[in-house]
Amino acid sequence: MIHSLFLINPSGDIFLEKHWKSVVSRSVCDYFLEAKEKALEPEDVPPVIHTPRHYLISIYRDKLFFLSVIQTEVPPLFVIEFLHRVAEMIQDYFGECSETVVKDNMVMVYELLEEMLDNGFPLATESNVLKEMIRPPTILRSVVNTLTGTSNIGDTLPTGQLSTIPWRRAGVKYTNNEAYFDVVEEIDAILDQSGTTVFAEIQGVVGACVKLSGMPDLTLSFMNPRLLDDVSFHPCVRYKRWESERVLSFIPPDGNFTLMTYHVNAQNLVAIPVYVKQSISFFESGSGGRLDVTVGPKQTMGKTVEGVMVTVHLPKTILSVNLTATQGSYTYDNGTKLLVWDIGKLNPQKLPNLRGSLSLQAGAPKPEENPSLNIDLKIQQLAISGLKVNRLDMFGEKYKPFKGVKYITKAGKFQVRT
Amino acid sequence: IVCLIDYMLESNKESLKLEAMKRVVGLIAKGKNASELFPAVVKNVASKNIEVLKKLVYVYLVRYAEEQQDLALLSISTFQRALKDPNQLIRASALRVLSSIRVPIIVPIMMLAIKEAASDMSPYVRKTSAHAIQKLYSLDQDQKDLLIEVIEKLLKDKSTLVAGSVVMAFEEVCPDRIDLIHKNYRKLCNLLVDVEEWGQVVIISMLTRYARTQFTSPWKEDGVFDEHSERAFYESDEEKTRNEPEAKPYMMDPDHRLLLRNTKPLLQSRNTAVVMSVAQLYWHLAPKNEVSIVTKSLVRLLRSHREVQYIVLQNIASMSIQRKGMFEPYMKSFYVRSTDATHIKSLKLEILTSLANEANISTVLREFQTYVKSQDKEFAAGTIQAIGRCATNISEVTDTCLNGLVLLLSNRDETVVAESVVVIRKLLQTQPTQHSDIIKHMAKLFDNITVPMARASILWLMGEYCERVPKIAPDVLRKMAKSFTSEEDIVKLQTVNLAAKLYLTNSKQTKLLTQYILNLGKYDQNYDIRDRTRFIRQLIVPNDKNGALSKYAHRILLAPKPAPLLESAYKDRDRYQLGTLSHTINTKASGYLELSDWPAVAPDQSVRNVEVIEPVKIHHFIFPSTAHPTPSGSDAESRVENSSQSSEESDESSSQSEKSSSESESDSEKKKRKTKTPLQKKTVKPTAKDGPYLSKCYQPTFCSSDLFIFSLILSVCPPVYSALSPLSLSFPLQVSGPAFVPEKSHDLLHRMTGKGLSAQYQFPRQPCLYQPTMVSVQISLTNTSDHPLEQIHIGDRSPTGLNIHCFNTVECLEPEASVTVFMGIDFNDSTQAANFQLCTKEDHFSVSIQPAVGDLFLPITMTELDFRKEQGKLLGMNESSATITMAAENMTSQPISRPVATVANLGVVPSGQDDIHRCVFAGKTASSGAVVLVTVELRESSTALITINTEKSVMGSMLLRDLKQALAQA
């Protein structure tokens, strides 16, 4: 299965290596670095590389490459999924996943990797189990550690892995028992020049932060479960209950986790919260062009649209831009040709507008294609599909937990073609 | 630094040592060499003080042991000691490290450790041993045979923790020993949902391979499979109708169906690898009309990370070539976004092209138009190829596409133009008539095109269709003659070709030009060109020697050529199992296991029958016992039973009551057996008429052997595990045999209402064979009429959703004869009656089965400790209790287990306490598997407190009511 792991930063330095079987020389990474050189963007590096003796499967995430070395046949998704779990685990432990964080916590990351795989086969990937074996750092504990010379590795041996519920650690105790659920929906859409929807769908995630003592057994039901077209669950969810009653019945892991993801298939019935009026044109002479973009609210269900941001990858031949925004501010990076217009809250009375001129490099021909606009937005207290949580019940424990549900709608891959 | 660390390691202070070890591990992580510290580090391996230090030392050892073998041996004894540690986690970690030390000399020690760990009490240690098998195998392949034995043993393990790891070991060590899987096949299928996600992937891929060797193809429309249609014992009528809607002779093996059914829920897994592996299983194993259920889930994965998308799209590309219909409704999900990575874009394009058909081609082409304008020129070029493929596949749009492509010829970007030329060339070849305009247009563009492939394509077109453009072609050749030396090789070759063709058709104008070009070619640096020139010259220029060939020159060079096939790169990719690495890289990866073709004739399907099933089905209701009635249960099961038995025994010395209770139990067993025998005879006698003498004569032998084994388990079994049993922190809900089976049978159908057919039912209180969630029901059918009754079976049922496993149709029941059949009913943990129709050939009678709450449980074995733990989880509203008054003479624990066992099918929990006034029972509900715990505490003044803990509070209160009644009577 997974033979070795290398962490590589974007400039090609290997800063951590871990071998689960015999040691593989880091020169194997040269094949990867070669492919990386060839690719224009780090995203374009092929995830699977075939070298004479090994297979390299890599992911690019949080500006880091996670490169695994494989020697025999294994489902590539198996490896990719695992690498993402490693990244998530680092994120979970240290708050972010970056080169500095990994370098600062080298020993701990190394130990975590040691626990996660045995002989290249995943052993413990549940955050709850790992945290019992190796405690995550806290400020207080790190002070205590430096004073007393102890470390973060648990003195007591874990029980979680051995309980009948592998994802939940035993003996959880809180003074305040709380369970919060976030319903986050993302709109993926492609709009064409005229503003008609080419493609739209809603992807939702029910995230949870459950801090409940003991072994609570929760049941979460929706007002309108029929909306959900396709779902995937955290392993804790009892699939049979869902099949028969359309309720989520589960014993939750402790802490933060993703309870389910879902897909709402409404095709063109998806409410598009904003409209974009745009005109980007280049002069035939090839000396420059004009850009004029206006964003306005469309189907917002009476809520305010916040955090609106328009991102444009301008053509490579653009030399400079000279724009004015009636609301918010814009930044333009001449290196990446990335124009970002941060609008903020949408005011229906006074629509934000960005207009001005673009100048091209001397002698460059008129660009073939107009760049497409990527829109970001956020609507609080609204699930655009209309999904609503009905109730949350708890069994198995006596106390009364504090419960809460939050809805957010965001733009996912929301693209306007021009 | 190394010196400093060395010094720190030598110090006596633990904190300094720890700090030093951290630095050492830091060095390892950075890939720096820390091997010279080995002697200093290895000294700390036996450090008793802190767990932490030890762990770091282990990390170091595993990394460097291979390099410093002699020194590594010093540490071995520490691990050997740790292997005997009472804490399972220490045992496991010792085995992990020991097996990771790649030193050949310790192979025998590792082998021994693995063998021991494979029969450890703790499933976690057994899991570790499965991993160790692979490590040892890679270290020393000679151990294969011994390791296979261990694998065989571990495959029988019933723990979900072990299953994934042992199958992994199987795949690595002996993937060809398919015979080891037979007996475990059904178990693996049933466990699958509860196995951890990584294990699921491995098991599913193994089972896919297995299924392809054991079942016949569900894809064939016809074929003779009659020998196949004898049904396995648990295949129901219901399944039969579902599997063959058109009454085809093919019938799916029930085990094949089992696999498909049990993997389906996993499509909802959050783990993309699991979803993909289920998808490939359906692709390779399911009947064609069922494969499409995986579509939605695969499309869902496209929302995941870029790398996941890449792999999933590749697989969809392979699938969509064969089965367009599967993904067509989701076509819009494959629309390209400008932010996609290049390899994602081209895969989406590939899929869109495969999905295009007459109905949606206009949408697809409109989408392609957007893509052609993309800034990413590589992608734009890919789109042009895709348009070309659409144009050839769908003849209605060929002209539209061609015109569109010609427009692109005036594009400013060179790659776009070049690609268009190449694609146009291919398209023209497929239909060369009346396209001379396009050829002329291209000739005009020739001067501006610099991409070699495009130039070569135009030249080839000129040559091929030179008769259609008689004026232009020689002119092009003239230009080429001028620039010949500076062209790319591929262009030169085509120039030579063009020259030759023109020479043949229009030698007057081009003779000199041709000769000039051939001369240039003759001295070219590239030997392909020199070779080609020589060949052409001999062929076309007439001389004495080769007159024979040059006669045919025209036919050779200007032969009508078959049009190129524009087809996908993913065609036939699915010769590799989908989802594998080999599929992704399109070559056979090392260790790839070929998926075999379906066998023409299915191998013997009875190999998958686990022996325990047959005898249990016939006899076990007659001889209830706490131990399993047959000796052939798998090891794991009997081990758990042994341990529970032995812990009972070990407690004997301390608690007198325990002994008496187990004695009383066996007493009651014997009594029951005595009382049972007459009943048994009653049922056997009438059937004997028809001739099943077999059951009659084999009964007694079975009885005695059963008794023998029962007593054997009670008395002989050594209490080896008793010391370890308190350690087991978890307990699998291990179903044991019932403590008591009431003989009471209920009327299902009276002979008067049933027109001679009478039926009685009783609950044998055994776990149902068909599905674990069902309650098994034993039905005795008797024919009291004077004519034979035919085709007795089960008809309509209500509520309709009721899950019943019907008994096999009784073809004929002679007058006076009776037959006993079994069925399974999923009561869904409620005492609601199951209504259904009992049908004969002529009549049907509505009947209903009403379970008592106690019959909906299955007894489980657990220790007192586990009992307390479980009880702790089920407090509050899950607890119900009542106080009752009992007769004084019943105030010992002995008789209490009787009435409780009569009321409810619960197992007695051996109590480790001296408290003789307390009796505890455990069971689980059949449908949901919820734990049910019953405690009866005897108090002063002849009262008793009954406490029931279960999350099924309704069942709890019903059970309480029944128990109150029963104990008050007692």
Side-chain angles (χ1 to χ4, degrees), chain B residues 621 676 738 740-746 760-766 774-779 822-825 827 832 834 848-857 905:
Chain B
F621 64 94
K676 266 284 155 88
F740 173 76
V741 177
E743 305 134 28
K744 194 181 166 202
S745 61
H746 316 264
Q760 292 199 312
Y761 70 93
Q762 72 180 78
F763 295 96
R765 292 193 168 182
Q766 289 292 338
M774 287 181 171
V775 175
S776 58
V777 182
Q778 176 199 344
I779 297 180
F822 288 87
M823 58 187 291
I825 301 178
F827 284 105
Q832 208 184 351
S848 92
I849 291 183
Q850 171 88 47
V853 68
D855 292 322
L856 299 176
F857 302 126
N905 190 13

Side-chain angles (χ1 to χ4, degrees), chain A residues 17 26 60 71 73 81 85 114 118 126 157-158 162 186 188 231 233 366 369 372 413 417, chain B residues 29-30 87-88 96 135 197 268 270 272 303 307 337-338 367 373 412 580-582 590 730:
Chain A
E17 61 178 71
R26 48 165 78 185
Y60 179 69
Q71 273 191 328
E73 171 66 52
E81 179 83 26
R85 292 281 171 90
E114 175 82 25
D118 183 14
E126 285 297 334
L157 291 157
L162 310 172
E186 294 194 353
D188 284 1
V231 285
F233 301 119
K366 175 184 174 234
E369 186 203 29
S372 51
K413 296 172 181 165
R417 289 176 178 168
Chain B
K30 283 181 201 127
N87 186 324
Q88 52 179 342
R96 243 183 102 182
K135 297 183 210 168
E197 37 196 2
Q268 255 60 49
R270 65 165 172 178
T272 57
R303 270 285 298 183
E307 298 83 9
R337 291 161 206 279
S338 57
E367 192 63 20
K373 285 188 275 175
R412 224 171 291 131
T580 58
L581 182 62
S582 303
S590 66
S730 70

